[in-house]
Amino acid sequence: MDIVRRVRLRAEPGVLFRTDRRGRERRYETAGGGLAAVRYFSPVEDEKGKEPLFPERWGTAVFEDAEGRPVLQIPLAQWFPEADRLGTLFLDEAEHLDRSGLSGLVRELGIPLHTEAKSLRDMPSAYQRHRGVYVSLRAVPLFCELLRGVSMLFFIAAFITVMVSDGPSETAYAVASGSLFVVPATLVLSSVVLRRRAPDRVPPGPGLLVRPIPEPSPAVTHRFLTVPFVKVFPDYVVLTDSTGRESWFAREGSAAVSQVTVVSDTEGEKLAVELQGPGEQVRAMLPWRWWFGGTGGERSWKSLVDALGLPVKHRVEEHETDMAHSLGVPLGADMRGRAPLAPKDARSATRSSEGAAARGEWVLLLFAAIFLPGLGPGPDDLVLFLAGVFSALTFLLILIPYATHQLRSRLRLDRPAAAHEPESTA
């Protein structure tokens, strides 16, 4: 979450500024042999079909110096909020260079933009491996990933030693158990670090805060009434879906949100609100019935329109799409994420930040169970006892976050909520 709040690329005539997650800013100038051109490498067919968060799914922009050497490499899939929400069928018509703001960035720098028909991986290896900065938005701290990888190597080596040894290998036994413990420990540490970096669920600062005011329905849960929001800042409009995923859209610049469209069906029933960028590109969608369909919803809608200060248009949806259920819509996944989720789906989507069990690492429990008998002999056999202690701690680091997440969901967040009218606040 701290990534979308802090990491930025911006341009002034002749200068590109890159801000990292710690707020540190670095300048790249076009003068004196600095940035001279940008080459955009389009994704090939097999890259388009990759999972939504695959970095090269939207192609890669490479900023080059005067000699054609890479200075910065930017995977576009990580640089505009709706990249992982656009369906594969709509990739070719998404106008991602404008949508991501890359075209405007290059125009501001005053350097040429060249579009390549081939993928970056088709370039010579010397070009791909040049020491240019790969501006990837890493969510998990790097030291946690490295520590987890090293511990897995130690575990595999020690476990193989235990299996192939002719006699008991107590040292390898303890090393395997300790290395296994490090894996869930680093995942819990990552979760703690990420929460400390962005402790506020709602970004601080002055601005209008709008919460959903849904029509009465048993599908509405406490999670839906307390997690999603829209907040209008002077420079950004921030939307959060039912899983807590934040999307920041600029209000100024070449890729800014510039228009709001209310979509209705042929009978006049309002279906959705679209936030659109230049060229009427749909950047985000709010299902009307879940955000403004309840008592007081019209007043909340008016407050949002006033805060945005954008022109509002109306469109009748006449195509063979089921917008009410977000089917056949380019940002259908985005629209579904801003509606109430079924409790099981909500737990599945949110547990990824709640510990090791969330990441499909129940297999760790099977390996940890092998070392638990070491607790039996007690401290008399110190090495085996230590292996048993690490095994027990592994169980705790996996099961406690998982149980906490499940109980919080089942007992509070994903229970049906009584109808009420949350207030929009400035």
Side-chain angles (χ1 to χ4, degrees):
M1 190 180 293
D2 64 311
I3 292 175
V4 297
R5 295 186 182 184
R6 299 191 181 103
V7 177
R8 295 288 184 270
L9 280 175
R10 65 182 181 88
E12 295 178 0
V15 184
L16 177 69
F17 298 89
R18 177 171 66 92
T19 305
D20 64 17
R21 68 195 312 165
R22 296 183 180 179
R24 298 174 300 191
E25 190 172 77
R26 181 171 178 180
R27 297 165 51 100
Y28 299 87
E29 298 187 2
T30 59
L35 300 180
V38 177
R39 296 176 72 178
Y40 170 69
F41 294 90
S42 304
V44 294
E45 289 303 320
D46 64 329
E47 291 175 332
K48 293 179 182 179
K50 296 284 188 179
E51 63 181 12
L53 292 178
F54 182 68
E56 283 75 36
R57 187 175 185 240
W58 290 89
T60 305
V62 179
F63 288 74
E64 299 176 337
D65 63 16
E67 298 182 8
R69 296 174 301 194
V71 178
L72 292 173
Q73 297 185 27
I74 301 174
L76 289 195
Q78 298 183 341
W79 285 89
F80 57 100
E82 68 274 27
D84 62 334
R85 299 299 180 95
L86 278 164
T88 304
L89 296 176
F90 304 98
L91 291 186
D92 293 333
E93 58 190 59
E95 300 178 358
H96 35 281
L97 295 183
D98 293 331
R99 187 185 290 268
S100 63
L102 179 65
S103 297
L105 201 69
V106 173
R107 283 195 301 270
E108 190 70 23
L109 287 173
I111 58 179
L113 170 63
H114 307 292
T115 300
E116 300 286 343
K118 54 187 175 182
S119 171
L120 178 61
R121 68 186 185 188
D122 296 327
M123 295 293 290
S125 58
Y127 185 91
Q128 296 184 46
R129 297 173 183 174
H130 194 274
R131 296 178 61 185
V133 177
Y134 186 74
V135 190
S136 178
L137 306 183
R138 183 186 303 276
V140 178
L142 179 60
F143 74 90
C144 287
E145 289 188 348
L146 294 176
L147 184 59
R148 183 163 64 248
V150 171
S151 67
M152 284 302 299
L153 291 177
F154 272 92
F155 167 74
I156 293 171
F159 189 75
I160 292 175
T161 301
V162 171
M163 293 294 102
V164 302
S165 296
D166 294 332
S169 179
E170 294 183 351
T171 301
Y173 204 74
V175 170
S177 180
S179 300
L180 194 66
F181 159 75
V182 174
V183 176
T186 56
L187 294 170
V188 172
L189 178 61
S190 297
S191 181
V192 171
V193 170
L194 294 177
R195 289 176 185 273
R196 286 178 61 87
R197 286 176 175 175
D200 304 308
R201 182 173 292 276
V202 178
L208 177 77
L209 179 66
V210 175
R211 298 269 188 193
I213 302 181
E215 64 181 30
S217 170
V220 177
T221 62
H222 288 282
R223 181 190 301 276
F224 183 66
L225 295 179
T226 57
V227 175
F229 63 83
V230 176
K231 187 165 185 179
V232 183
F233 290 102
D235 298 325
Y236 295 92
V237 53
V238 182
L239 288 81
T240 296
D241 65 13
S242 295
T243 66
R245 175 183 179 275
E246 277 186 16
S247 300
W248 288 59
F249 298 94
R251 298 184 64 192
E252 297 180 352
S254 61
V257 173
S258 57
Q259 179 178 289
V260 180
T261 298
V262 179
V263 184
S264 304
D265 61 17
T266 54
E267 297 179 357
E269 180 180 353
K270 295 176 181 177
L271 300 176
V273 173
E274 296 178 345
L275 299 184
Q276 299 179 343
E280 298 188 350
Q281 299 169 344
V282 181
R283 307 299 308 277
M285 299 180 71
L286 298 173
W288 183 275
R289 61 181 294 211
W290 298 122
W291 279 79
F292 309 107
T295 304
E298 288 286 350
R299 186 168 66 250
S300 178
W301 165 244
K302 186 178 184 304
S303 299
L304 178 60
V305 170
D306 292 342
L308 290 172
L310 297 175
V312 178
K313 293 188 176 181
H314 295 265
R315 188 181 84 245
V316 176
E317 183 62 43
E318 298 177 346
H319 302 291
E320 295 181 359
T321 59
D322 187 358
M323 186 169 286
H325 297 89
S326 60
L327 301 177
V329 182
L331 282 175
D334 186 65
M335 193 169 175
R336 288 190 294 273
R338 304 191 196 284
L341 299 177
K344 183 178 180 180
D345 294 337
R347 286 192 291 273
S348 176
T350 57
R351 69 184 181 183
S352 61
S353 60
E354 301 297 339
R359 295 169 172 82
E361 298 187 8
W362 287 98
V363 66
L364 292 179
L365 295 178
L366 298 178
F367 284 110
I370 298 174
F371 306 107
L372 269 179
L375 291 173
D380 295 336
D381 194 335
L382 184 59
V383 177
L384 288 179
F385 180 74
L386 186 62
V389 170
F390 279 128
S391 179
L393 291 175
T394 301
F395 267 82
L396 292 177
L397 287 180
I398 291 176
L399 294 177
I400 289 179
Y402 177 77
T404 302
H405 176 260
Q406 290 288 315
L407 290 173
R408 186 165 174 259
S409 168
R410 295 175 184 273
L411 298 181
R412 186 168 68 89
L413 283 178
D414 294 312
R415 294 181 64 85
H420 76 285
E421 179 187 336
E423 294 184 359
S424 300
T425 59

